[in-house]
Amino acid sequence: MAGLVNNLLILFLIFQNSCLAFRSPLSVFKRYKDSAKSHSNECLGSNRQLVPLSLSDFALDIRMPGVTPKQSDTYLCMSVRLPVEEEAYVVDFKPHASMDTVHHMLLFGCNNPSSDEDYWDCDGGTCTDTSNILYAWARNAPPTRLPKGVGFKVGGEEGSKYFVLQVHYGDVSAFKDKHKDCSGVTLHLTNQKQPMIAGMYLMMSMDTVIPPGEKAVNADIACSYKMYPMHVFAYRVHTHHLGKVVSGYRVRDGQWTLIGRQSPQLPQAFYPVENPVEIKYGDTLAARCLFTGEGRSSKTFIGGTASDEMCNFYIMYYMEAKHAVSYKTCTRNIDPEMFRNIPQEANIPIPVKPDMTMVHGHHEEAKSGDTVSVMQQPKRDEEEVLDQGDFYSLISKLLGEREDVVHVHKYNPTEKAESDLVAEIANVVQKKDLGWPDAREFSNKDERANAILVRDRIHKFHRLESTLRPPENRHLALQPPKPGSGNWEKERTGDLNIEEVVDWPGINLKLGQVSGLALDSNSNLVIFHRGDHVWDANSFDSGYIYQQKGLGPIKESTILVLDPNSSAVLHSTGRNLFYLPHGLSIDHNGNYWVTDVALHQVFKLASNGAESPLLSFGRALQPGSDKNHFCQPTDVAVDPVTGNIYVSDGYCNSRIVQFSPDGMFVMQWGEESSVGQTKPGQFSIPHSLTLVSDFGQLCVADRENGRIQCFKPETGEFIKEIRHPLFGREVFAVSYAPGGLLFAVNGKPYPGDTVPVQAFVMNFSTGEIIDTFIPLRKNFEMPHDIVASDDRTVYVGDAHTNTVWKFASPEKMEHRSVKKAGIEVQEIKG
């Protein structure tokens, strides 16, 4: 016994002195025990809601505090505060419920539960703010399981602070003995950052009308997906009595891939997908609810009571942590015609055995048969005429934000402009957005009735399972951990997350093979491309002599200057000069420095459009390795202080050549890589150059050696190497941004390799990777060059897809505000 006590004491001291930013579970337990409200919990026999599991993990018990429902179809809610302030991750759920007493349970995450009582009737709502469904359990349904490495993020600055448990007691005959119920769920939480974050995507019809007696009525929902990839692992369907089958699909290139299909009359838990489904940028998510109006004598609308209907398809997914979004919604049908091609299975009801059916009690049952009138709702104490300010307050709450401002974080600014949001709100004002009876049914003179109608509709809207969110692409973004956030110098590099600017139109430019990129003094993007010429296996013989000179030089402009925002071509040059363009840089005077691998030459061009070079190096079409020749030179860098010129040479030479400002040969360094082991100063295709002005270094993308080497430019003295397993076998290009950031792109993996082609942000001082990024639109195939600006805007050019992408950090996106109809809408535009 003494040994056990000693061991516990040692364990406590370890916890107490832990240097982890996250409080240890033991200290959390003490603080939680002191602060938590006491529950009368006869079932558990104790109040131990929090149980430490390890240094980083703990279990949180969320149970009904000994309740006895008095009537069938009772919905009871209770809340538990997250016992830590820091971010944590829910990684597993263990239900505690009997199908004899509980019909189903839902667990929500939010910040403001609807009540601070031990428990309450859910008719009053679950949360007063936005909430996410984290877990669902229903009788006869499989349990929800999170894949390994996936967690729901809670706590911290962005995550939910409370869990709210909702329990539906269907048939209460089991409570004739007046026993107490403590159904609930135990959560397994950890402070260990999860590589993948779970989230919820709700597809919901808002305007479906089901005519009485109609045998089959479809409610269709479809939205374009404009985000980073998400991986679907579970789904849930929901309707009321009239729903026959709900089906959800991914549509890509006209092909429909089933996510899930289920009868909403079966237990409405989350069901695992039969086959993993990845959703990526450009896909369409589509869902159909099949209803019948048979047995009804009047129209049925979307609403929150049992006599109304609902059409919900929930997708539980996970995303890479740094791009994770906790909740997304789709409430529209962007392409009704596409549903002509929906698989026939979506139109076939699923037979359900009587003992498996779902009881549909939405916190209250309609007392007047199947007809529901908004004006027949029970009177409320607050029934007064709402003025415009009160209405906009309710609208703000409806959108899940504070009352004075509706904030809209739009991932894709082209998807829905502010005018659309205002129009959407105006539709609610005009009482036609939710599909309830038009306000014109009531007297225009009865302002009081119309105001109550508006208010009741919003109340109904709140009650749609307490999960309603702003429309598609208005989501709560999680702030993910930054890779390599240990030792890199924050005062120099800061937090940085790079994403594609998806509304930048430059991706649609008609270009040849993109070989070089640069930025001029006005931050305009300059592109060097090959027009109608292509470098392929027939371009050179074994002696590196160009074999297609009979084609003549490229006739179109090979150098394009683009507006960085609109991608409009401001001016162009480089006609009838080049055969196979490669590298591009711009000196401090605005001159263009380019290389041509077919000509084996380097040129200096004026930026004013003059079509003849100011300076030429090398001999046209003559490869060589002396001070007067190059062999497929790849890039140029010009020192802004000394004016010295550095050329990476190249595909068939393994050297860096230095010239004076007037073009005189000064020196060279480098040699071909040794077999088996590469040494400092050895190269296998020195492919790209960047001057690191803050540190006085010249860095080289040593392509086939999969590394970056940095030197003193004046002497060629080796300083350091940057190499990472994530680079794979090749590093194609490198670019330095003042302030300590180094950007790079790698090459496409060799057969059998698993390292993806991607771009990197690194801390130059430490060489540590801060972030990696890839495009959403199209894919990297051969990212050939990369350039970064002072404000960390990044461009990548690809020589296989003939594409240029623009990337930026979300924090650098331009904020703009508009104010219409008394509501300010803040948007983020890239």
Side-chain angles (χ1 to χ4, degrees):
M1 182 65 182
L4 177 60
V5 172
N6 288 336
N7 288 338
L8 289 174
L9 180 60
I10 292 171
L11 184 60
F12 175 76
L13 292 173
I14 292 173
F15 285 159
Q16 189 178 42
N17 291 288
S18 173
C19 61
L20 293 172
F22 187 85
R23 291 185 179 91
S24 72
L26 284 180
S27 64
V28 167
F29 173 73
K30 182 179 185 303
R31 178 167 57 87
Y32 188 68
K33 183 179 179 182
D34 292 340
S35 62
K37 57 189 177 184
S38 176
H39 292 292
S40 173
N41 206 324
E42 300 179 12
C43 307
L44 293 175
S46 75
N47 288 326
R48 290 196 67 199
Q49 289 182 304
L50 181 68
V51 180
L53 300 176
S54 68
L55 276 170
S56 60
D57 292 24
F58 62 94
L60 183 63
D61 218 30
I62 304 174
R63 307 274 195 111
M64 278 293 159
V67 301
T68 303
K70 294 180 174 56
Q71 62 182 22
S72 296
D73 286 331
T74 295
Y75 286 76
L76 297 180
C77 290
M78 60 86 63
S79 67
V80 172
R81 182 177 174 84
L82 181 68
V84 295
E85 297 298 330
E86 301 83 0
E87 66 183 35
Y89 301 85
V90 181
V91 295
D92 198 11
F93 307 89
K94 182 180 180 181
H96 307 285
S98 168
M99 62 181 290
D100 296 329
T101 56
V102 174
H103 190 271
H104 73 267
M105 299 187 298
L106 292 176
L107 183 69
F108 299 87
C110 67
N111 288 319
N112 297 297
S114 293
S115 174
D116 58 2
E117 299 293 327
D118 284 356
Y119 68 96
W120 66 92
D121 190 324
C122 300
D123 219 17
T126 53
C127 300
T128 60
D129 65 333
T130 57
S131 60
N132 296 332
I133 292 181
L134 303 179
Y135 177 74
W137 178 92
R139 58 180 185 173
N140 303 319
T144 302
R145 295 292 184 189
L146 296 180
K148 186 176 181 180
V150 176
F152 280 99
K153 184 178 177 182
V154 294
E157 294 182 2
E158 302 290 342
S160 300
K161 305 295 191 299
Y162 282 87
F163 299 106
V164 176
L165 176 67
Q166 179 196 91
V167 179
H168 174 204
Y169 297 96
D171 182 2
V172 297
S173 60
F175 288 92
K176 290 179 180 179
D177 59 358
K178 309 294 184 182
H179 75 271
K180 307 291 187 181
D181 181 68
C182 289
S183 297
V185 61
T186 299
L187 308 184
H188 182 170
L189 295 103
T190 180
N191 76 308
Q192 298 295 315
K193 294 183 182 298
Q194 299 299 296
M196 299 291 177
I197 302 299
M200 197 72 62
Y201 194 120
L202 169 59
M203 304 186 72
M204 177 172 65
S205 174
M206 294 172 61
D207 55 4
T208 297
V209 179
I210 304 171
E214 192 76 23
K215 184 176 181 180
V217 178
N218 296 324
D220 295 336
I221 317 156
C223 287
S224 296
Y225 186 77
K226 303 291 186 181
M227 299 188 65
Y228 282 86
M230 71 176 185
H231 305 269
V232 179
F233 64 92
Y235 70 96
R236 176 177 181 252
V237 304
H238 178 75
T239 71
H240 294 174
H241 297 287
L242 303 184
K244 295 300 183 182
V245 63
V246 181
S247 309
Y249 298 88
R250 179 199 71 192
V251 185
R252 179 185 296 170
D253 300 327
Q255 298 296 314
W256 293 67
T257 300
L258 181 67
I259 295 173
R261 174 177 174 265
Q262 188 59 277
S263 168
Q265 307 308 321
L266 289 172
Q268 295 182 6
F270 281 94
Y271 292 82
V273 297
E274 292 188 6
N275 299 297
V277 180
E278 180 193 47
I279 313 297
K280 66 180 184 179
Y281 188 99
D283 289 342
T284 298
L285 287 166
R288 166 170 285 181
C289 298
L290 176 65
F291 294 102
T292 180
E294 294 178 326
R296 291 290 174 99
S297 59
S298 61
K299 292 181 180 179
T300 304
F301 301 92
I302 296 296
T305 72
S307 293
D308 294 320
E309 264 305 337
M310 294 179 69
C311 171
N312 291 4
F313 186 77
Y314 296 86
I315 296 171
M316 191 176 283
Y317 62 86
Y318 62 86
M319 300 176 72
E320 189 178 353
K322 67 181 178 179
H323 300 306
V325 177
S326 67
Y327 198 91
K328 297 188 286 289
T329 61
C330 172
T331 60
R332 299 178 294 148
N333 184 359
I334 61 169
D335 186 7
E337 290 298 314
M338 70 181 290
F339 285 90
R340 294 178 180 272
N341 300 315
I342 193 171
Q344 188 59 31
E345 63 189 359
N347 302 313
I348 302 174
I350 295 177
V352 178
K353 295 180 180 179
D355 61 340
M356 295 288 288
T357 58
M358 188 78 172
V359 178
H360 294 279
H362 248 274
H363 314 172
E364 66 178 30
E365 294 287 344
K367 304 271 194 304
S368 57
D370 56 13
T371 61
V372 178
S373 169
V374 175
M375 296 305 295
Q376 293 173 346
Q377 295 298 317
K379 296 291 183 181
R380 299 178 176 88
D381 293 336
E382 73 275 18
E383 283 195 358
E384 70 275 354
V385 177
L386 301 180
D387 62 22
Q388 188 181 58
D390 291 331
F391 177 71
Y392 284 131
S393 172
L394 284 171
I395 285 290
S396 297
K397 291 179 180 178
L398 168 67
L399 294 179
E401 300 291 348
R402 74 175 194 262
E403 296 185 7
D404 56 337
V405 177
V406 180
H407 293 282
V408 183
H409 179 168
K410 299 184 62 182
Y411 185 81
N412 180 3
T414 63
E415 179 69 19
K416 204 172 185 71
E418 70 276 4
S419 59
D420 293 323
L421 175 61
V422 174
E424 207 168 277
I425 293 171
N427 279 337
V428 178
V429 177
Q430 295 164 15
K431 312 169 186 68
K432 40 183 192 181
D433 202 30
L434 303 184
W436 284 295
D438 194 284
R440 288 173 294 184
E441 296 176 12
F442 301 96
S443 169
N444 291 332
K445 297 179 181 179
D446 193 350
E447 296 180 359
R448 176 182 174 85
N450 285 334
I452 294 172
L453 174 64
V454 172
R455 195 273 324 285
D456 282 353
R457 281 182 174 149
I458 293 173
H459 277 292
K460 276 193 171 186
F461 214 77
H462 274 303
R463 294 176 53 205
L464 305 188
E465 291 196 294
S466 300
T467 58
L468 186 62
R469 288 300 182 279
E472 182 196 17
N473 289 331
R474 302 190 177 105
H475 54 260
L476 172 65
L478 299 175
Q479 295 302 317
K482 301 296 186 292
S485 58
N487 299 319
W488 53 277
E489 301 169 338
K490 293 183 179 180
E491 68 274 9
R492 294 189 60 83
T493 59
D495 287 341
L496 189 62
N497 179 33
I498 299 296
E499 298 178 352
E500 184 189 350
V501 180
V502 295
D503 65 335
W504 188 64
I507 192 174
N508 300 314
L509 287 171
K510 302 300 181 183
L511 302 168
Q513 293 180 329
V514 179
S515 61
L517 301 175
L519 294 170
D520 66 18
S521 58
N522 296 317
S523 297
N524 296 317
L525 175 65
V526 184
I527 299 174
F528 197 29
H529 73 112
R530 295 174 184 152
D532 59 354
H533 284 205
V534 176
W535 187 354
D536 57 24
N538 300 314
S539 298
F540 296 91
D541 64 12
S542 59
Y544 307 107
I545 303 295
Y546 185 58
Q547 299 296 295
Q548 297 170 332
K549 58 185 178 182
L551 297 174
I554 301 168
K555 296 178 176 60
E556 63 188 282
S557 295
T558 54
I559 299 175
L560 307 177
V561 182
L562 270 58
D563 181 283
N565 297 315
S566 68
S567 75
V569 177
L570 303 178
H571 54 90
S572 60
T573 188
R575 288 182 290 272
N576 298 306
L577 283 177
F578 307 111
Y579 287 80
L580 282 180
H582 200 276
L584 166 69
S585 64
I586 301 175
D587 64 26
H588 68 287
N589 293 318
N591 299 305
Y592 302 148
W593 292 80
V594 299
T595 70
D596 187 311
V597 291
L599 291 171
H600 304 288
Q601 285 185 292
V602 175
F603 301 96
K604 176 184 178 182
L605 301 172
S607 60
N608 58 11
E611 297 294 341
S612 58
L614 300 176
L615 198 61
S616 300
F617 300 77
R619 300 289 188 267
L621 299 170
Q622 297 180 18
S625 56
D626 57 31
K627 63 181 181 179
N628 295 315
H629 291 80
F630 299 110
C631 190
Q632 296 179 341
T634 55
D635 204 6
V636 187
V638 181
D639 192 314
V641 177
T642 65
N644 289 334
I645 304 156
Y646 301 90
V647 178
S648 50
D649 180 38
Y651 281 91
C652 34
N653 289 329
S654 300
R655 63 178 180 170
I656 306 299
V657 187
Q658 179 184 341
F659 296 89
S660 66
D662 57 1
M664 300 299 294
F665 175 86
V666 176
M667 61 172 293
Q668 68 177 42
W669 72 87
E671 60 182 24
E672 189 175 356
S673 297
S674 304
V675 177
Q677 183 177 5
T678 56
K679 299 177 181 179
Q682 294 183 336
F683 300 107
S684 181
I685 308 182
H687 195 258
S688 172
L689 300 175
T690 189
L691 281 161
V692 183
S693 55
D694 295 333
F695 295 84
Q697 298 179 31
L698 175 71
C699 293
V700 185
D702 186 6
R703 194 179 100 171
E704 299 302 303
N705 286 328
R707 64 179 178 174
I708 300 167
Q709 296 192 71
C710 299
F711 305 87
K712 286 186 177 180
E714 299 85 1
T715 64
E717 177 187 350
F718 174 81
I719 298 176
K720 68 177 182 180
E721 170 190 286
I722 300 174
R723 185 195 296 263
H724 290 283
L726 284 177
F727 286 171
R729 302 194 194 188
E730 298 176 332
V731 177
F732 265 70
V734 64
S735 177
Y736 179 78
L741 292 175
L742 190 65
F743 295 81
V745 288
N746 66 350
K748 197 168 186 177
Y750 284 63
D753 290 350
T754 59
V755 175
V757 56
Q758 58 191 330
F760 304 86
V761 189
M762 291 165 280
N763 177 293
F764 180 77
S765 295
T766 66
E768 187 170 1
I769 295 174
I770 298 170
D771 192 22
T772 61
F773 55 98
I774 58 174
L776 281 167
R777 299 177 294 172
K778 301 185 180 180
N779 296 313
F780 283 155
E781 292 188 14
M782 184 188 280
H784 198 263
D785 202 7
I786 185 169
V787 63
S789 67
D790 293 359
D791 68 353
R792 301 173 181 181
T793 299
V794 185
Y795 299 90
V796 177
D798 194 296
H800 274 185
T801 62
N802 303 345
T803 302
V804 178
W805 292 271
K806 180 180 181 180
F807 300 86
S809 62
E811 293 80 7
K812 294 293 181 181
M813 292 182 183
E814 176 188 357
H815 292 253
R816 61 190 179 94
S817 297
V818 296
K819 195 167 186 179
K820 296 184 179 181
I823 295 182
E824 181 179 306
V825 182
Q826 292 187 351
E827 298 186 59
I828 299 177
K829 182 176 181 181

